[in-house]
Amino acid sequence: MCRSRSTLIVTALAIIQYMGENAIMFPPTFGEVVEELAETVIYGIALTYLWRFKLADYESCLVQKLNYELKHVNH
């Protein structure tokens, strides 16, 4: 997987954001702060990812996956 660690981090932040928004394990006032901070970090990660995104790298990863799948289908 090309971006598995980032996906796990964003998933964890999304869960924390949801918990903060719904005051699950956080007091309501502190939950709002947690929600906003998690959202800000998620948006920052997305912005950084888009800023550094290179289509050639994505295509390379996609070609590797397709080659891997084709090798295993043919055998």
Side-chain angles (χ1 to χ4, degrees):
M1 307 274 162
C2 290
R3 301 270 184 214
S4 61
R5 190 172 67 183
S6 296
T7 303
L8 290 174
I9 291 170
V10 170
T11 301
L13 286 167
I15 292 169
I16 292 170
Q17 184 270 336
Y18 177 81
M19 291 171 62
E21 181 178 3
N22 293 295
I24 300 170
M25 296 180 59
F26 296 105
T29 306
F30 184 63
E32 291 178 23
V33 172
V34 169
E35 173 199 0
E36 294 301 326
L37 287 174
E39 282 180 359
T40 301
V41 173
I42 290 170
Y43 293 143
I45 290 170
L47 180 63
T48 303
Y49 179 78
L50 289 173
W51 189 274
R52 299 180 62 189
F53 181 77
K54 294 181 180 132
L55 188 56
D57 293 343
Y58 177 76
E59 288 173 340
S60 169
C61 182
L62 185 60
V63 167
Q64 288 176 359
K65 285 182 181 181
L66 290 173
N67 286 336
Y68 176 82
E69 290 174 7
L70 286 174
K71 285 180 184 177
H72 286 79
V73 170
N74 292 333
H75 288 84

